[in-house]
Amino acid sequence: ESCCHPPILCFDIMLSLKTLFPCRVVGSMRQYCLSLSSSSSSLSASSSASSSLFHAQHIAHHPSTRTCFPRSSSYVGCVQQREIATGHGLKTTATMRFFQILGMSSWLSEARKLEFYPPLWIMGVKVVELSGNWSHVRITLPLNTLSRNPGGVMFGGYQVSLADPIAALACARKFRDYSCWTRGMSADFMQGGSTDLELRFEFTEEMENDIRKELEERGRATPTFEYGYYLSNGDLCTKITNTVAIRPKGYIKAHSPPASADNVE
């Protein structure tokens, strides 16, 4: 069953609001969502008393925000996947929780989540293509007043900031049972970025199969990806070499979710 019912959308919004607003405000929001879920139940009551979407007598406790929700057969799976984890020894702040919850929301596409991530949103990036479960990625990095360096071309720091997470994000989507992060990256600025730049990333099926084979044999992998920025005329502007660490969940040196120190030998 789909997890994109209107009442569930309200719960997603409420999860995000909880990190910013007092419990009194969120409590009112919860009551409003409960009224919506009750309406949904009454609409289906004529067909079957047990087929209603929400059952008010069952309450599910959200593990990270301490918010209670009505439990349903279609929504329980969504709730169970919302556990928020951080790297070993890292403190989770309210702002981090807000964007982590936003990132796990079902009502935003992968492209919009990437565009709305604050550092990238400030840079004004636009996702042109994100298909094949992150196999094909094209993102526009605009040349404007903020992104120009004193020489009038694209500031290299902008290019590196956007290129940094792309390969790791693609690996995280394809190898969901592992923790993925950028191990190292280099940028070869072949020519000045005198126009808007387009980042082009390709994750080939052959490379994916090679990584899966290595994970099966060794339980870990450290692949290197090559991609780049292209000028509006199609010429390569900047060549990116990015190495990603793919490690088991709980790997002690992991720096990004869902790594944890539990059950580490």
Side-chain angles (χ1 to χ4, degrees):
E1 294 180 272
S2 173
C3 291
C4 296
H5 301 286
I8 295 176
L9 174 59
C10 291
F11 283 119
D12 282 331
I13 297 173
M14 184 179 67
L15 278 174
S16 301
L17 290 176
K18 182 172 175 61
T19 63
L20 300 179
F21 297 98
C23 296
R24 193 175 306 171
V25 175
V26 177
S28 301
M29 184 72 173
R30 183 169 69 90
Q31 292 300 322
Y32 174 66
C33 293
L34 286 173
S35 66
L36 287 181
S37 63
S38 299
S39 299
S40 299
S41 299
S42 63
L43 288 175
S44 59
S46 57
S47 59
S48 173
S50 61
S51 64
S52 59
L53 178 62
F54 289 88
H55 303 279
Q57 66 270 26
H58 299 293
I59 299 296
H61 179 263
H62 188 277
S64 59
T65 59
R66 300 181 180 178
T67 304
C68 290
F69 301 91
R71 185 184 298 275
S72 72
S73 58
S74 63
Y75 191 63
V76 169
C78 298
V79 173
Q80 291 175 344
Q81 296 175 4
R82 293 178 182 276
E83 179 71 37
I84 295 177
T86 57
H88 177 56
L90 298 181
K91 180 180 179 181
T92 303
T93 65
T95 304
M96 288 171 60
R97 288 197 301 270
F98 174 78
F99 288 111
Q100 287 171 340
I101 292 170
L102 189 64
M104 290 185 287
S105 299
S106 59
W107 47 279
L108 278 178
S109 67
E110 290 283 292
R112 298 294 85 77
K113 291 174 184 178
L114 196 61
E115 291 176 348
F116 291 159
Y117 183 59
L120 303 186
W121 178 78
I122 293 173
M123 294 161 61
V125 304
K126 179 68 176 179
V127 177
V128 178
E129 179 186 5
L130 203 166
S131 59
N133 191 26
W134 286 75
S135 292
H136 311 283
V137 181
R138 292 191 298 133
I139 305 174
T140 298
L141 182 61
L143 179 65
N144 52 38
T145 302
L146 294 178
S147 62
R148 292 180 189 272
N149 65 18
V153 295
M154 183 74 71
F155 175 47
Y158 262 51
Q159 300 180 51
V160 172
S161 296
L162 174 58
D164 171 18
I166 300 302
L169 285 172
C171 290
R173 297 304 186 272
K174 290 182 176 294
F175 311 109
R176 294 181 178 272
D177 294 332
Y178 294 84
S179 181
C180 307
W181 69 93
T182 301
R183 180 70 179 271
M185 189 179 73
S186 64
D188 181 2
F189 301 101
M190 303 174 66
Q191 55 181 310
S194 56
T195 68
D196 291 353
L197 297 181
E198 182 175 275
L199 183 148
R200 300 176 186 173
F201 172 85
E202 295 288 330
F203 201 135
T204 65
E205 184 177 355
E206 180 182 1
M207 189 169 194
E208 180 178 351
N209 292 335
D210 289 342
I211 294 174
R212 290 191 185 280
K213 182 178 179 181
E214 185 174 0
L215 290 174
E216 291 175 0
E217 295 175 350
R218 302 180 60 240
R220 55 187 285 172
T222 312
T224 297
F225 299 84
E226 291 187 354
Y227 46 105
Y229 285 99
Y230 292 79
L231 297 168
S232 59
N233 62 5
D235 291 345
L236 179 62
C237 174
T238 305
K239 181 180 177 181
I240 302 295
T241 303
N242 188 304
T243 300
V244 177
I246 306 176
R247 301 292 185 266
K249 290 182 180 180
Y251 184 71
I252 192 64
K253 293 183 180 180
H255 302 294
S256 60
S260 169
D262 298 335
N263 302 321
V264 177
E265 295 181 358

